[in-house]
């Protein structure tokens, strides 16, 4: 379910953040422009992401056009998400995804946060993408996924689907769904899913592997 949501968001990024290759923009702009966040510098982003200098140059201009202040707060992030799923309630799921992009835990997403996260989702290896997804489900960050945490994420996904959820689901149906997932993933039956259990189970599922790797994309620059 997670991968389906990203498939709708990534084309938006491609269209609005990665702008036309004919637009001329100085590479030094990333180094020198005063913004409301402290820039790591272009060289650092090249080293720590899977984007080229030219791609980062284009992304930066697009990011500034969409976010003139240089940062995105959670409310704005939720508004963007809501545009793609008007039939449901995206607030809770968008909150969880926002936390994943807010790498500095500042309550805002700056350009560096955005690029680092997008690098994993768009260009990361299968292992990197699965670990990113595991961390999304591990809401309290204790290194394992509990049933309550998985119920929270699954419930938020069904909320996004809204009236298009077929069949309609309630809390009992969600709990049954999570129980089935745990039966498949919780290899040692300790009541939680470790990162190793999560990775092993996903890697054995061809549908999961195909769906995650389908997030790979090339952006026009």
């Amino acid at each position: 379910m997670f991968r389906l949501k990203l498939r709708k968001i990534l084309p938006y990024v491609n269209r609005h953040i990665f702008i036309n290759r004919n637009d001329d923009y100085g590479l030094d702009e990333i180094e020198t422009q005063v913004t409301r966040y402290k820039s790591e510098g272009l060289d650092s982003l090249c080293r720590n992401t899977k984007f080229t200098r030219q791609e980062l140059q284009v992304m930066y201009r697009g990011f500034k056009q969409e976010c003139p202040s240089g940062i995105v707060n959670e409310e704005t992030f939720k508004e963007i998400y809501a545009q793609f799923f008007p039939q449901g309630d995206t607030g809770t799921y968008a909150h969880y995804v926002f936390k994943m992009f807010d790498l500095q835990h500042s309550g805002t997403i700056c350009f560096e946060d955005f690029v680092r996260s997008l690098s994993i989702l768009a260009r990361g290896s299968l292992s990197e993408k699965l670990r990113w997804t595991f961390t999304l489900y591990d809401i309290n960050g204790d290194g394992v996924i509990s049933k309550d945490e998985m119920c929270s994420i699954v419930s938020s996904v069904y909320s996004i689907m809204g009236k298009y959820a077929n069949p309609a689901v309630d809390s009992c149906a969600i709990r049954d769904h999570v129980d089935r997932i745990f039966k498949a993933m919780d290899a040692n039956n300790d009541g939680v899913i470790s990162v190793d259990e999560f990775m092993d189970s996903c890697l054995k599922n061809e549908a999961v592997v195909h769906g995650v790797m389908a997030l790979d994309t090339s952006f026009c620059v």
Side-chain angles (χ1 to χ4, degrees):
M1 288 182 291
F2 162 76
R3 63 182 183 272
L4 295 177
K5 309 312 162 196
L6 285 177
R7 281 179 183 171
K8 295 191 73 172
I9 295 298
L10 285 179
Y12 171 86
V13 174
N14 192 16
R15 187 167 62 251
H16 292 281
I17 302 300
F18 294 80
I19 56 179
N20 190 280
R21 69 181 67 209
N22 294 321
D23 288 324
D24 183 22
Y25 195 58
L27 288 172
D28 292 338
E29 180 69 11
I30 296 177
E31 302 286 356
T32 60
Q33 184 166 342
V34 176
T35 60
R36 294 185 186 178
Y37 63 89
K38 182 179 179 181
S39 176
E40 295 179 5
L42 183 59
D43 289 338
S44 177
L45 287 176
C46 283
R47 289 193 302 270
N48 293 294
T49 70
K50 298 182 180 182
F51 297 118
T52 65
R53 290 175 66 89
Q54 186 182 14
E55 287 173 324
L56 289 167
Q57 161 207 332
V58 175
M59 278 192 287
Y60 184 73
R61 182 172 186 180
F63 187 87
K64 287 290 291 182
Q65 287 178 338
E66 292 291 313
C67 314
S69 67
I71 57 175
V72 179
N73 62 30
E74 184 169 344
E75 288 307 310
T76 300
F77 189 82
K78 288 180 177 179
E79 290 172 3
I80 293 172
Y81 238 93
Q83 294 176 29
F84 295 91
F85 308 99
Q87 74 277 5
D89 180 1
T90 62
T92 303
Y93 186 79
H95 166 73
Y96 294 135
V97 176
F98 179 87
K99 286 177 59 180
M100 293 294 296
F101 274 76
D102 180 14
L103 302 180
Q104 301 178 54
H105 308 293
S106 64
T108 58
I109 300 172
C110 66
F111 179 67
E112 284 84 1
D113 291 338
F114 172 77
V115 169
R116 286 176 179 273
S117 297
L118 189 62
S119 177
I120 294 173
L121 295 175
R123 301 278 174 83
S125 65
L126 175 60
S127 176
E128 288 172 329
K129 292 176 180 179
L130 289 176
R131 287 183 180 277
W132 194 96
T133 306
F134 176 88
T135 304
L136 174 73
Y137 279 82
D138 179 19
I139 296 172
N140 66 4
D142 64 354
V144 295
I145 301 173
S146 68
K147 283 190 176 183
D148 285 343
E149 286 174 323
M150 185 165 286
C151 279
S152 294
I153 297 293
V154 172
S155 177
S156 70
V157 171
Y158 277 121
S159 292
I160 288 177
M161 297 168 66
K163 63 182 180 181
Y164 292 104
N166 185 23
V169 297
D170 54 22
S171 59
C172 290
I174 290 171
R175 177 63 69 172
D176 288 343
H177 186 172
V178 169
D179 285 342
R180 290 195 298 273
I181 295 174
F182 263 71
K183 185 176 181 179
M185 288 190 171
D186 184 13
N188 63 1
N189 296 310
D190 64 350
V192 294
I193 298 172
S194 69
V195 64
D196 289 337
E197 289 173 327
F198 182 85
M199 297 286 288
D200 289 344
S201 181
C202 289
L203 290 172
K204 293 175 183 176
N205 188 318
E206 291 186 7
V208 170
V209 171
H210 176 75
V212 170
M213 293 313 294
L215 295 175
D216 282 335
T217 184
S218 296
F219 297 106
C220 296
V221 294

